[in-house]
Amino acid sequence: MADRADRADKANRADKADKVNRADKGGRAKPVRVVFLGGLGEIGRNCACIEVEGRIVVLDCGIMFPDPDMPGIDLVLPEFTYLHERADRVDGIVLTHGHEDHTGGLAYLLRELRAPIYGSELTIGLARHRVEEAGLADRTRFVVVRDGERVRVGACDVEFIPVTHSVPEANALAFHTPQGVILHSGDFKLDLQPVDGRRTDLSRMGELAEREGIRLLLSDSTNAEEPGFTESESSVGLVLRRVFAAEAGKRLIVACFASHMHRVQQIIDAAVANGRKVATLGRSMGKNVELGSRLGIISIPDGVQIDIEDVDDFPPGQVCVISTGSQGEPMSALSLMATGENKWLKIGEDDVVVISAHPIPGNEWSVGQVIDDLHRRGAEVVHSGAERVHVSGHARQGELRTLLSVTKPECFVPVHGEFRHMVHHARLALSMGLDPAKVLLCEDGDAITLDAKGIARDGRVPGGYVYVDGTVGDIEHGVLRDRQKLAEEGVVMVVVTVDRQKRSLANSPVIETRGWVHAPEAEELLGEASEVVGAAVTQALRDGAHDIEVLSRHTRKALGRFVGERTRRRPMIVPVVLMV
Ligand SMILES: [Zn+2]
Ligand SMILES: [Zn+2]
């Protein structure tokens, strides 16, 4: 308590000092620039820069998981060009929470620059894993910040204010700048009964609003289209207990996000209450349960945890397996169970699978497949469509209004969402009486300035998608376009062999196709295509064409036209011209 009072006291004095400083400088205080590198227009790759007098603090650095129209892509990063060019001006990276859409890009950003990373103990624990795995730990320093603490990062103070979310120890960040307070909500909801009792510190936000005024609020838009309030995480615990009790005698397998440690805790509690042992399945689940236990976030009574290798030693009714794969990821533990390829668990009629998560946009189809396959094996599946075994970690309209009403921001920019989410969030702010001139809709790559007058747009910086395929190397837009074309329309290859001496075809062109027409039934069509290409090349040779490039161009054109006219399709055409 003393510690908390002491910190509160320090914060009060700092607030007053801020106010005095700003009053001294009046309207002459340096403007503050905010640059959005990602997360405004999609769920993922959240990254922004707060700039005071040219010095930069990076706010989060996340990845996005690929959409189904990005074949072969492992993940998508923010474009770091802007930061790369200003690497010597970056004073630190501050993290709101440990989710991958906020921390997954660190291992890539640290290749471009060196800077310390600040966050709560768990956030740092999760981030550290990724940076160490990438072998980049020597390019940063990890700084653990406690709840309510205010740390100096470069040219501004950053205050870490607790918020509730679907990963423990999440924070909103208050930047104390020469232009006053910029508050970033982080990902949040207003859970009044959080599993760990750590509520969103609305009173501190209100205090900042009263004492100094919040100049600019940046707030989470994910659920801005949803009316009402998001249910408390603790409501899921009650549902899980009921489901567990109803399935006595059956083996339970519960899938959720490995970082959702409060959910994991509630699964453990429901298992213990029903006399079950608990085993983890999936690499990240094992790692996170260990990390959570070490940090005192997860507690497992002695004798409850068993090894996944030993689950078959227990009757089905005495086992609960906590697994990864709630998003239907192809190589995850749950997907492998569904297809009968999991090393440890064979799914059958004695199993009940609970999917304690909601598919994130783009994953609905894969999750649906997994649910179907589990049914084919005879298992029962309980998912969020049928039972309330999941609640969101993001604020709905009622909570967003509450935050706006407590923080009374002068200026507002919705962040973290697809474009429509941000539009709805902006409307919500306007309906709360904010000045329309001080509410801006921004997108990735937009920059704004905050000065004595308010906020204004301040140009654009590179803010595109950077695709990562495999563990190293970024791939180009062109490669992705090729893959989309291949996936949608297939490919037609033609090999043309030209006798250099005789300046004529050495044999008839050979056509190969995948995904255009099915070859055995289309022999006639392929024969015609070969003749058309042959005629075009022969004509070109007669007209004096002699190099491979020119002949390739004629080949591509003739074949492309034939394919388009005869089938109304546009597969990729790949001409190969050989000179013999
Ligand atoms: Zn999050
Ligand atoms: Zn997020």
Side-chain angles (χ1 to χ4, degrees):
M1 269 323 266
D3 188 35
R4 194 170 171 192
D6 187 42
R7 262 183 282 145
D9 192 44
K10 254 191 225 158
N12 284 351
R13 268 181 277 134
D15 289 352
K16 277 181 198 142
D18 278 351
K19 203 163 194 175
V20 170
N21 276 343
R22 272 210 296 145
D24 278 354
K25 290 177 190 161
R28 296 186 314 269
K30 286 275 189 325
V32 177
R33 193 162 190 248
V34 183
V35 181
F36 300 105
L37 294 181
L40 281 73
E42 67 267 312
I43 303 287
R45 54 178 219 128
N46 294 287
C47 187
C49 313
I50 309 286
E51 292 186 35
V52 179
E53 296 183 39
R55 305 300 305 182
I56 299 173
V57 180
V58 178
L59 194 179
D60 285 342
C61 184
I63 55 166
M64 182 171 87
F65 294 103
D67 289 338
D69 67 344
M70 301 174 185
I73 299 300
D74 293 330
L75 53 95
V76 187
L77 290 173
E79 184 163 348
F80 293 135
T81 315
Y82 182 79
L83 288 169
H84 175 73
E85 287 167 356
R86 292 161 184 78
D88 56 330
R89 295 201 227 145
V90 176
D91 291 314
I93 304 162
V94 292
L95 301 176
T96 57
H97 64 288
H99 278 155
E100 298 221 44
D101 61 322
H102 298 257
T103 63
L106 288 170
Y108 298 86
L109 179 61
L110 288 174
R111 292 183 194 164
E112 314 282 339
L113 52 88
R114 291 169 183 269
I117 299 173
Y118 301 78
S120 66
E121 190 173 32
L122 175 63
T123 306
I124 291 293
L126 292 166
R128 190 194 293 268
H129 268 319
R130 296 190 188 108
V131 172
E132 281 174 356
E133 268 175 7
L136 295 168
D138 60 328
R139 297 182 60 85
T140 186
R141 183 164 56 82
F142 293 99
V143 185
V144 170
V145 185
R146 287 176 308 160
D147 286 355
E149 202 179 335
R150 184 169 160 159
V151 289
R152 186 82 185 163
V153 186
C156 57
D157 274 7
V158 187
E159 184 178 338
F160 285 65
I161 303 176
V163 293
T164 45
H165 183 42
S166 44
V167 60
E169 298 189 5
N171 286 107
L173 300 176
F175 295 83
H176 296 263
T177 77
Q179 286 296 334
V181 175
I182 298 176
L183 181 66
H184 188 289
S185 71
D187 289 8
F188 82 105
K189 67 194 263 190
L190 300 180
D191 190 338
L192 297 178
Q193 265 185 296
V195 171
D196 60 355
R198 176 184 177 273
R199 287 190 296 271
T200 298
D201 195 350
L202 282 176
S203 67
R204 175 57 187 156
M205 295 180 193
E207 190 175 44
L208 281 172
E210 294 304 329
R211 287 229 174 83
E212 291 183 63
I214 288 170
R215 298 280 332 275
L216 169 62
L217 175 67
L218 310 167
S219 174
D220 175 4
S221 311
T222 314
N223 280 347
E225 284 182 303
E226 314 271 330
F229 292 77
T230 296
E231 301 86 341
S232 170
E233 176 60 27
S234 51
S235 70
V236 174
L238 300 173
V239 176
L240 287 173
R241 279 179 196 231
R242 183 165 51 70
V243 170
F244 278 32
E247 303 295 352
K250 296 228 177 178
R251 187 165 64 175
L252 278 164
I253 294 139
V254 189
C256 71
F257 273 113
S259 61
H260 202 334
M261 294 183 179
H262 289 151
R263 184 68 51 83
V264 172
Q265 181 68 57
Q266 298 199 99
I267 297 166
I268 294 168
D269 292 346
V272 171
N274 286 277
R276 290 175 186 264
K277 303 279 183 197
V278 170
T280 63
L281 181 56
R283 186 164 152 265
S284 58
M285 189 60 77
K287 260 188 357 191
N288 282 2
V289 166
E290 192 195 305
L291 175 67
S293 305
R294 184 149 43 81
L295 298 182
I297 296 167
I298 292 178
S299 79
I300 311 178
D302 286 341
V304 165
Q305 194 169 7
I306 56 170
D307 208 288
I308 190 71
E309 293 173 43
D310 302 329
V311 289
D312 287 337
D313 300 346
F314 295 84
Q318 290 178 21
V319 173
C320 172
V321 176
I322 309 177
S323 166
T324 56
S326 62
Q327 295 301 310
E329 308 92 321
M331 294 311 288
S332 66
L334 190 64
S335 293
L336 294 176
M337 273 181 240
T339 52
E341 293 164 285
N342 192 281
K343 195 169 153 194
W344 308 112
L345 292 186
K346 294 285 166 263
I347 297 295
E349 286 167 2
D350 278 337
D351 292 305
V352 176
V353 177
V354 180
I355 302 180
S356 185
H358 222 43
I360 49 180
N363 291 346
E364 295 90 347
W365 187 83
S366 329
V367 174
Q369 286 296 303
V370 168
I371 293 176
D372 273 358
D373 286 341
L374 290 167
H375 277 106
R376 281 195 186 97
R377 305 204 159 262
E380 191 55 55
V381 182
V382 179
H383 56 86
S384 61
E387 283 275 7
R388 304 209 61 82
V389 287
H390 175 71
V391 296
S392 169
H394 297 273
R396 294 203 196 140
Q397 289 176 352
E399 296 151 277
L400 299 175
R401 280 183 191 280
T402 306
L403 187 74
L404 282 158
S405 134
V406 167
T407 56
K408 293 183 215 138
E410 175 192 331
C411 308
F412 176 65
V413 177
V415 298
H416 200 286
E418 291 169 8
F419 194 69
R420 65 175 191 278
H421 302 142
M422 300 190 298
V423 169
H424 281 270
H425 203 179
R427 281 187 201 152
L428 207 82
L430 294 175
S431 77
M432 302 280 294
L434 265 77
D435 177 353
K438 294 185 174 178
V439 175
L440 283 185
L441 266 178
C442 296
E443 292 190 78
D444 297 340
D446 280 343
I448 59 169
T449 346
L450 174 68
D451 62 18
K453 295 193 291 287
I455 46 173
R457 295 190 187 276
D458 189 13
R460 299 257 315 147
V461 310
Y465 284 7
V466 173
Y467 301 101
V468 179
D469 178 8
T471 47
V472 281
D474 313 330
I475 76 155
E476 302 280 322
H477 258 291
V479 174
L480 196 62
R481 264 201 311 277
D482 285 354
R483 286 185 189 175
Q484 284 164 347
K485 203 170 171 66
L486 284 170
E488 282 163 19
E489 306 271 3
V491 57
V492 185
M493 269 169 299
V494 53
V495 182
V496 176
T497 315
V498 174
D499 186 321
R500 195 190 301 267
Q501 231 99 62
K502 293 189 193 150
R503 299 182 56 79
S504 68
L505 286 177
N507 45 39
S508 24
V510 179
I511 311 261
E512 278 281 347
T513 172
R514 294 286 181 279
W516 171 46
V517 290
H518 191 52
E521 289 109 65
E523 240 168 84
E524 212 172 298
L525 192 67
L526 296 185
E528 269 183 72
S530 170
E531 276 170 35
V532 167
V533 171
V537 173
T538 306
Q539 185 61 44
L541 288 166
R542 270 194 213 125
D543 293 347
H546 50 79
D547 74 57
I548 287 182
E549 215 166 297
V550 174
L551 289 170
S552 294
R553 209 163 56 226
H554 283 282
T555 303
R556 181 197 302 273
K557 209 169 141 195
L559 184 57
R561 189 186 301 138
F562 176 80
V563 165
E565 279 171 2
R566 294 299 298 271
T567 60
R568 300 274 156 231
R569 292 187 198 156
R570 305 196 57 78
M572 181 182 286
I573 307 285
V574 182
V576 180
V577 176
L578 304 171
M579 293 283 197
V580 293

